[in-house]
Each structure stands twice: as C-alpha cells, then as structure tokens.
C-alpha cells in the first residue's frame, strides 16, 4: 500500500507503520491507497483506523452495486467504473473509499482476473500527478475524494461519447439500407453498444443515489462538504441522463433495423409464395394436358390388341375408337376446366 501526506509543501510518502502517528498529528491530508485488500490489508484497516468489520468486509469481497455507510467520524462509499472487455462485456471496476476528517483511504478491487490491474489505478494515479503539482486542490479529504471521483466520471462521459460516435456510425449504415451477408452479427453490434450504455447508466444511477444520501447525512464535516457531495451526485445524474438519451436513440435504431429486416423477410416470403403458386398452376396444367394426351394412347393401345372385338378389321371400328378418344378427351378437358386446372 502507498501512504501519502498532502500538505502545503506538496506530497510526502511515508511508511504504513507511521499511519497512527500521522492521524494524530495535523500534518495535512493522509491518503492511504491500497491496490488489493487482502487479509493483511484488512487487518491494517481494522487496527490503524478502527473501521467497522462490515465495511472492511465490503473491501475484501466484490460488491455488485454502489453503497454507502455513514459513521460518527467518517463515511464509507463503494463506487464502480466501467471497463469494456472482450465481446462487449462490461467489467465493474470497484473503488472503495473511507473519508474521514483528516484522511482518505482508497481501496481498489477486487477485480476480475481478466482486467488489467492498472485500470483500477487510473483515477487515483491521475489525481496523484495533479496534486503533486497543485497540492492546494486537495486541502481536505473530501476535496481529494472529489478529484478522484470527478476523474472517474470524466472517463464515464468519455465512454458515453465514444458509444455515441459508434451509435452514429451504426445508424448511418442502417439508414443506407446496405445489404449484409450476416444481419445477425450487425444486430449483435447494435445490442452490444446498447448494453454498454445500459451498464454505464446503471452504475451512474447507483452512484448518484449514494452521494445524494451522503450529502444529506454527513454531519461531522464543514458546511462545504454537503455541497461537494451534492456536486458529485449531480455529475453522476448527468452521466445517467446522457447514457439514457443515447440508449434511447440506439434503441430506436435497433427497432428500425429489426423492422427493416422483418419487412425484407416478409417481401421475400411473399415473392417465394407467388413463385410456388405459379409453379403449382403450371404443374396442374401440365398434369391435365398429360391426362388428356394419355387418352388416345390408352384407347389405341386397347384396340390394338390382337384380340377380335366388335368392328375389328372394319371401318366402324376406326370410327368407334376415334369417337371414344374425342369424347374422353373432351370430357377430361371440361372436368379440368371446371376445376380451373386449365
């Protein structure tokens, strides 16, 4: 873990064993940053600060929603930042904070093993570089926390802006009505962007609720603190609103594209049905004419047997067979005509 003291002269680094003495002295803001809260770190939080076991437990295990606890002399806050992983999966990068009258403790994780640990330290690292140049911006623990959370919020806004750009590109492809070999894959891209926006919106909404409650319940700090907490809550509400708006836009694009695909499929099905009906009509006509044409062959075949029959070897036999052929053919024609096969 890293122990820093932010005073008028700048940022000083100390050993963790010095924390109890630093907390008793008025040397500035004591900032303890813990990359991973393992068993030794949890013991340190309990012994050096006397934090509640429930809050320490929340630092050790993963939390799936934002939460806050207000104590007599400090507050505990759990936040999440989004990190987009493979196939659009959104990882919840957790940041826990203990904010007291003269100290700030930041605890990172636990993280999914697939997430680069450096991602968790982006905001604290950015703020550390900032306060090293301008230490006066972190004159109080709440001001320091405000800088860290504001950095997290800016990254969320940047992600929403990136998704807005991606949504515009996808919407342009939909409006151009380009033919695609794999519409399911394109639809998956649309839903992936929509899902990331939903995750960002959910995180911002939970965080806004936590900070709104903090602004109303913190009693141990100066009057300026509720305003700082309310400002953070407003920033999270802004992220939520922007993500909501972009999500609604993308939802409209998805619905339009699904309607477009459904319409194309319906038209294709109608055309296929027309072709099938036409083929059935053609087959009926062919079958009818084949049946009619089969009559002469059947009659002549019968009368062509080497068996004597009435009119055998006489003109009357020819007349009779010809008449039978005509009558049967005309009868079949009339039947097929009545059935609209011809």
């Amino acid at each position: 873990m890293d122990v820093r003291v932010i005073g008028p002269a700048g940022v000083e680094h100390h050993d963790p064993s010095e924390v109890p003495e630093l907390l008793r002295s008025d040397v500035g803001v004591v900032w303890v940053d813990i990359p991973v809260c393992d068993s030794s770190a949890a013991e340190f939080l309990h012994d050096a600060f006397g934090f509640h076991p429930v809050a320490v437990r929340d630092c050790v295990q993963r939390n799936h929603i934002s939460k806050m606890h207000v104590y007599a002399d400090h507050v505990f806050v759990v936040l999440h930042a989004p990190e987009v992983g493979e196939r659009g999966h959104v990882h919840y990068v957790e940041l826990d904070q203990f904010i007291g009258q003269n100290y700030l403790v930041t605890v990172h994780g636990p993280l999914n093993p697939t997430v680069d640990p450096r991602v968790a330290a982006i905001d604290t690292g950015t703020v550390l570089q900032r306060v090293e140049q301008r230490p006066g911006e972190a004159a109080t623990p709440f001001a320091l926390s405000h800088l860290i959370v504001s950095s997290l919020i800016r990254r969320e806004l940047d992600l929403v802006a990136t998704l807005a750009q991606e949504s515009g590109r996808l919407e342009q492809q939909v409006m151009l009505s380009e033919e695609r070999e794999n519409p399911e894959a394109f639809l998956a891209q649309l839903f992936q962007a929509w899902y990331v926006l939903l995750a960002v919106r959910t995180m911002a909404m939970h965080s806004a609720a936590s900070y709104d409650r903090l602004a109303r319940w913190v009693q141990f700090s100066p009057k300026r603190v509720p305003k700082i907490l309310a400002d953070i809550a407003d920033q999270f509400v802004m992220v939520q609103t922007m993500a909501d708006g972009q999500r609604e836009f993308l939802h409209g694009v998805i619905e339009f594209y699904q309607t477009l695909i459904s319409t194309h499929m319906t038209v294709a099905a109608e055309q296929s049905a027309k072709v099938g009906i036409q083929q059935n009509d053609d087959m009926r006509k062919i079958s009818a004419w084949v049946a009619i044409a089969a009559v002469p062959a059947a009659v002549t075949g019968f009368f062509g047997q080497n068996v004597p029959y009435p009119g055998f070897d006489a003109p009357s036999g020819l007349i009779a067979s010809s008449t039978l052929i005509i009558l049967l053919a005309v009868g079949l024609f009339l039947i097929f005509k009545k059935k609209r096969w011809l």
Side-chain angles (χ1 to χ4, degrees):
M1 69 181 67
D2 296 316
V3 178
R4 312 171 185 115
V5 174
I6 304 174
V11 179
E12 299 177 356
H13 296 268
H14 292 265
D15 189 84
S17 61
E18 303 178 54
V19 169
E21 181 62 28
L22 294 172
L23 294 176
R24 288 192 293 267
S25 61
D26 188 17
V27 294
V29 177
V30 179
W31 180 12
V32 178
D33 187 57
I34 302 176
V36 179
C37 191
D38 52 19
S39 57
S40 61
E43 184 179 355
F44 172 82
L45 292 176
H46 182 271
D47 295 341
F49 293 91
F51 292 144
H52 196 283
V54 173
V56 176
R57 183 198 62 193
D58 286 338
C59 293
V60 175
Q61 66 184 19
R62 297 182 66 180
N63 298 279
H64 298 283
I65 61 172
S66 176
K67 60 176 63 177
M68 50 78 66
H69 299 292
V70 178
Y71 300 96
D73 59 349
H74 68 279
V75 298
F76 174 67
V77 190
V78 175
L79 296 179
H80 295 97
E83 176 64 19
V84 182
E86 295 183 0
R87 299 181 181 180
H89 175 69
V90 179
H91 297 283
Y92 280 50
V93 181
E94 184 173 329
L95 174 64
D96 305 329
Q97 300 177 85
F98 293 92
I99 313 173
Q101 294 181 340
N102 65 336
Y103 64 84
L104 171 67
V105 179
T106 51
V107 183
H108 303 277
L111 294 176
N112 187 303
T114 61
V115 178
D116 188 344
R118 292 175 295 182
V119 172
I122 290 177
D123 300 309
T124 52
T126 300
V127 171
L128 176 60
Q129 294 178 356
R130 181 172 176 174
V131 297
E132 285 177 339
Q133 298 174 358
R134 298 186 294 273
E137 294 185 358
T140 66
F142 281 95
L144 177 59
S145 174
H146 182 273
L147 292 176
I148 296 173
V149 178
S150 295
S151 175
L152 184 151
I153 292 172
R154 280 193 296 271
R155 289 199 298 117
E156 289 185 341
L157 289 173
D158 290 342
L159 179 56
V160 173
T162 301
L163 292 170
Q165 183 178 4
E166 177 69 7
S167 301
R169 182 185 66 82
L170 295 173
E171 183 264 348
Q172 186 177 18
Q173 294 184 36
V174 171
M175 298 308 294
L176 291 176
S177 299
E178 299 177 353
E179 293 292 336
R180 296 176 181 83
E181 296 182 357
N182 192 353
E184 290 83 4
F186 181 74
L187 191 60
Q189 294 182 42
L190 290 168
F191 273 111
Q192 179 178 315
W194 184 89
Y195 163 72
V196 176
L197 285 168
L198 176 63
V200 174
R201 184 253 186 196
T202 302
M203 293 182 198
M205 180 179 64
H206 291 174
S207 301
S210 295
Y211 271 90
D212 180 66
R213 182 172 174 82
L214 278 179
R216 291 183 283 109
W217 281 90
V218 172
Q219 303 291 336
F220 61 87
S221 297
K223 295 182 179 180
R224 184 168 176 265
V225 169
K227 295 182 179 179
I228 292 178
L229 298 175
D231 175 69
I232 294 177
D234 288 342
Q235 291 187 60
F236 277 121
V237 170
M238 179 179 63
V239 174
Q240 176 188 345
T241 302
M242 291 187 174
D244 260 339
Q246 195 58 42
R247 190 169 59 96
E248 288 298 321
F249 167 78
L250 196 55
H251 183 70
V253 175
I254 292 173
E255 286 188 337
F256 178 79
Y257 184 62
Q258 288 177 323
T259 303
L260 194 64
I261 293 177
S262 177
T263 302
H264 288 170
M265 293 179 63
T266 302
V267 172
E270 290 178 352
Q271 292 177 347
S272 178
K274 288 180 180 179
V275 172
I277 292 173
Q278 183 63 41
Q279 289 178 342
N280 289 336
D281 289 341
D282 294 341
M283 287 302 298
R284 283 198 297 265
K285 291 179 180 179
I286 293 172
S287 300
W289 285 115
V290 168
I292 294 173
V295 170
V299 174
T300 56
F302 177 79
F303 287 110
Q305 298 179 86
N306 294 322
V307 178
Y309 59 90
F312 180 76
D313 200 21
S316 59
L318 176 62
I319 295 172
S321 62
S322 299
T323 302
L324 184 60
I325 290 173
I326 294 172
L327 291 176
L328 290 174
V330 170
L332 287 174
F333 178 82
L334 293 176
I335 292 173
F336 292 142
K337 193 71 175 178
K338 185 176 181 180
K339 291 180 176 292
R340 296 184 178 179
W341 284 25
L342 293 173

